[in-house]
Amino acid sequence: MERKTTPTLGARFFRTDAGGEPLRDWLKSLPVIDRKTIGEDIKTVQFGWPLGMPLVDHLESGIWEVRSRLGTRIARVLFALDGDTMVLLHGFIKKEQKTPRSELDLAKDRLKQLKRQK
């Protein structure tokens, strides 16, 4: 099988109106091994898009999630598509079966901000 050399999707961090990148800050707070795993999973999505479960799931309102296993923990990176770019909106360590409404609402708020910034 031929390996793709260019990604189907680009990726960038959501940037607040003040210039902050909350997901980048969250990633920096994680252990290096966890950052590496999440980064590899995002790269898999970039090169393999469109993908489905178990790595990617569509949640609602244009919000998708990258599902990463970090040893005994589970991380989620919520993203939206802006043309052919993944905009990485929000990340968190999952503590319950269902994605908490507050985490999803935060990603949706950031998506609204993204649309306003255009």
Side-chain angles (χ1 to χ4, degrees):
M1 190 166 124
E2 194 175 314
R3 185 176 164 90
K4 281 174 81 172
T5 55
T6 57
T8 303
L9 295 176
R12 68 180 171 89
F13 291 104
F14 164 78
R15 189 170 282 199
T16 65
D17 292 334
E21 293 176 328
L23 181 65
R24 184 189 300 262
D25 295 340
W26 175 74
L27 285 169
K28 286 180 180 177
S29 76
L30 298 175
V32 172
I33 188 75
D34 292 350
R35 288 195 305 253
K36 188 174 191 302
T37 300
I38 292 168
E40 287 171 356
D41 288 344
I42 290 169
K43 185 176 173 185
T44 298
V45 175
Q46 286 183 268
F47 279 84
W49 187 258
L51 291 173
M53 295 289 277
L55 184 60
V56 177
D57 194 16
H58 181 254
L59 299 179
E60 64 178 63
S61 305
I63 307 279
W64 298 78
E65 68 178 356
V66 178
R67 306 156 57 93
S68 298
R69 285 202 142 299
L70 309 175
T72 59
R73 298 173 309 140
I74 296 171
R76 296 289 187 260
V77 172
L78 305 184
F79 71 95
L81 294 174
D82 182 16
D84 58 0
T85 301
M86 297 172 71
V87 181
L88 307 171
L89 300 168
H90 179 55
F92 61 97
I93 301 296
K94 201 163 170 200
K95 294 182 172 69
E96 48 196 70
Q97 190 67 29
K98 197 168 172 13
T99 297
R101 174 56 47 193
S102 60
E103 306 288 1
L104 190 54
D105 286 346
L106 181 56
K108 286 166 70 174
D109 285 346
R110 289 181 179 164
L111 179 56
K112 283 181 196 159
Q113 286 179 53
L114 178 71
K115 289 177 179 177
R116 275 198 315 267
Q117 291 169 354
K118 289 189 164 222

